[in-house]
Amino acid sequence: MIDKLSGYLDHHQEALSLRNERQKVLANNIANADTPNYKARDFDFSAELDRAMDSGQRGQEGGLALATTSARHIPAQAAGGGGVHDLLYRVPEQPSLDGNTVDMDRERAAFADNALRYQANTTIMTSKIQGIKGAMQPEG
């Protein structure tokens, strides 16, 4: 039963995690807009979401391996450490003379779009959780 509930929400959970990662990358680009030779970064959200969903849980791929000090210890993987695998460089429309490739208009638009999509994912996930809670309530 828990497996089905988890599977029901996995897609949105992964989408929220990736939206959060993308927001950090975009914020980093904006923060380094005046840094000489800084190269703007981003990633393909759809490809990363597909990769995350294909690999199952994020902790299974790229998780931290826990050290064992005895042969009797149970080997395990720690969740986390997954992150984005393909962080790419942005191709600038017009690079600056100092080598910085951050285009503030593009970064602001991507930042606002990602924030809006994060909010939409949060709203959808909240409504799904409310639906599950409603289905669990006894009729009366």
Side-chain angles (χ1 to χ4, degrees), residues 66-126:
L66 301 178
T68 57
T69 56
S70 170
R72 297 184 341 194
H73 288 167
I74 299 171
Q77 288 279 88
V84 176
H85 288 231
D86 294 325
L87 197 57
L88 307 171
Y89 290 101
R90 286 247 176 117
V91 177
E93 297 291 324
Q94 184 176 2
S96 64
L97 294 175
D98 66 357
N100 188 307
T101 63
V102 176
D103 178 2
M104 283 301 289
D105 292 333
R106 180 187 281 185
E107 298 300 327
R108 281 190 209 113
F111 191 88
D113 178 66
N114 194 62
L116 184 65
R117 291 175 188 264
Y118 183 91
Q119 186 63 40
N121 277 61
T122 304
T123 303
I124 291 168
M125 192 153 179
T126 301

Side-chain angles (χ1 to χ4, degrees), residues 4-18:
K4 290 181 182 181
L5 289 175
S6 176
Y8 184 65
L9 299 173
D10 275 348
H11 185 287
H12 294 290
Q13 178 183 352
E14 289 296 336
L16 284 172
S17 295
L18 286 172

Side-chain angles (χ1 to χ4, degrees), residues 44-52 86:
D44 182 2
F45 179 82
S46 327
E48 287 296 323
L49 183 59
D50 290 343
R51 182 203 52 78
D86 294 325

